[in-house]
Amino acid sequence: MKTYKITVNGKVYMVEVEEAGANETASAPVSTPAAPAAASPQSSDEKIEAPIQGTIMSVKVAPGQAVKKGQVLAILEAMKLENEIVSPFDGTVSTVQAKDGQVVDSGALLMTIATK
């Protein structure tokens, strides 16, 4: 499950989105969280992906920058709404693939963040 911070008409909403197919089999929810949990004691790069197709209006971070959980990483415009892509955890930005003005598909890799 991923958490996104979305602003609509000046009001901020925290939205949890369950990925499609997560409840289709009993083993999928168990095996998917197991891999990140095993890697959490060491540093690992976590992918930040576009939740929906749209245009990157603004990238707010750069490689090497420390980020906190809930910090805005980028602004994605979709269907005339601006969506804030926020960090789901504390870490350091490893790479940034997204550029201002770039059109991205749902699931496109925007950046990676190294977690501790």
Side-chain angles (χ1 to χ4, degrees):
M1 192 166 303
K2 293 184 179 182
T3 302
Y4 298 99
K5 180 179 172 185
I6 299 174
T7 304
V8 179
N9 294 332
K11 288 189 174 185
V12 177
Y13 299 91
M14 294 302 289
V15 179
E16 291 184 352
V17 178
E18 186 172 312
E19 293 184 35
N23 290 329
E24 291 178 10
T25 64
S27 63
V30 174
S31 62
T32 303
S40 58
Q42 299 176 355
S43 179
S44 65
D45 283 349
E46 297 288 335
K47 296 178 183 178
I48 304 299
E49 299 174 341
I52 190 169
Q53 180 182 13
T55 303
I56 300 295
M57 300 305 294
S58 176
V59 176
K60 304 287 188 183
V61 295
Q65 181 177 342
V67 294
K68 297 283 186 188
K69 181 178 181 178
Q71 180 176 340
V72 177
L73 304 172
I75 305 293
L76 176 93
E77 181 184 55
M79 297 181 287
K80 298 186 180 183
L81 293 175
E82 289 187 1
N83 302 281
E84 293 181 335
I85 308 300
V86 298
S87 180
F89 38 73
D90 294 347
T92 302
V93 178
S94 299
T95 62
V96 177
Q97 283 77 22
K99 295 180 169 76
D100 292 358
Q102 179 182 0
V103 176
V104 296
D105 289 327
S106 177
L109 180 63
L110 302 177
M111 61 191 67
T112 56
I113 299 178
T115 61
K116 297 178 182 178

